[in-house]
Amino acid sequence: MTEKEKMLAGQVYNPGQDEKLMAELAACKAKCLRYNQLTAGAERKELLKEILGQSGESCHIEPNFWCDYGWNIKVGEHFYANHNLTILDAGGVTFGDNVYIGPDCGFYTSGHPLDVARRIGGLEYAYPITVGNNVWIGGGVRVVPGVTIGDNSVIGAGSVVVKDIPANCVAVGNPCRVVRKITEADETSDLNWKK
């Protein structure tokens, strides 16, 4: 298997040993740099579609935006991400419809072995991240490899999501944990997630 094939299969791989993979990484970084330098408009919108593997018609990401490969990111309809979004997409990141992401958020599918010898040898792994439909992610949130966030959930600002979050709930903290379910009462509440 190539290192790219290992990466996509969720196996330990060495990206530095795959020239094609490194070229794809460099090409995406160049596109992100260009994207971040453009003002809002048709050219930036078209470049975003070129960077992402799949996106709905209504997709907007404020600069600065950085990702590793781009082609391994799938975005649904009505997607909005505020400034300073980082997506390490080696393992694949999928966002559903109506997803809103606050500023300074990161989605990291990549990780490294715990043992020093393999880690300093350049090995890493990548597990997919999935964000469901109608999810709101507050500013400064970090999501680690292999996590799924269920439909209709809200992740509070500053959270570090290290395990799956079920649908229809509010989750906050480091590590992120469910604090309550979202109920019909929230349709008329004063917007305070703590109640």
Side-chain angles (χ1 to χ4, degrees), residues 60-93:
H60 185 84
I61 300 176
E62 299 286 354
N64 285 331
F65 166 54
W66 295 98
C67 62
D68 281 344
Y69 302 101
W71 51 259
N72 218 4
I73 301 170
K74 296 178 182 172
V75 174
E77 290 292 340
H78 307 292
F79 177 87
Y80 176 82
N82 215 314
H83 297 284
N84 300 320
L85 174 64
T86 301
I87 302 176
L88 306 183
D89 59 304
V93 180

Side-chain angles (χ1 to χ4, degrees), residues 86-150:
T86 301
I87 302 176
L88 306 183
D89 59 304
V93 180
T94 302
F95 297 97
D97 296 334
N98 305 307
V99 172
Y100 300 98
I101 299 174
D104 301 313
C105 287
F107 297 82
Y108 313 134
T109 68
S110 299
H112 301 277
L114 296 178
D115 66 284
V116 173
R118 290 191 302 161
R119 187 170 62 243
I120 65 174
L123 295 179
E124 60 184 63
Y125 60 86
Y127 302 143
I129 292 172
T130 303
V131 177
N133 296 315
N134 311 311
V135 172
W136 173 27
I137 296 176
V141 169
R142 305 292 184 256
V143 181
V144 303
V147 166
T148 295
I149 298 172

